[in-house]
Amino acid sequence: MGLHTPEDTTYAATAGETSDDVVFWPSCSSARAAGAAPIYSGQPGYRPPLDRDGDGVACEPVPGQ
């Protein structure tokens, strides 16, 4: 069983689906709303479908927002 910080617990509850050290964000909107974005390759919650330009950074800030 992995160790979690209070922030991990908040993100996990917001994300809705977790398993020990796994965090799943259904969308960048949910990751941003929880304050977890941007998500870098190798960090919990990173997955290629959230990385629109394939540069290893998912859920990057949207210009103009």
Side-chain angles (χ1 to χ4, degrees), residues 32-45:
R32 286 186 190 107
I39 309 165
Y40 298 93
S41 179
Q43 288 184 319

Side-chain angles (χ1 to χ4, degrees), residues 19-51:
S19 174
D20 285 336
D21 295 328
V22 176
V23 176
F24 177 81
W25 297 107
S27 67
C28 285
S29 295
S30 61
R32 286 186 190 107
I39 309 165
Y40 298 93
S41 179
Q43 288 184 319
Y46 176 88
R47 57 191 182 94
L50 299 178
D51 185 357

Side-chain angles (χ1 to χ4, degrees), residues 10-18 23-26 30 34:
T10 300
Y11 296 155
T14 303
E17 184 177 325
T18 65
V23 176
F24 177 81
W25 297 107
S30 61

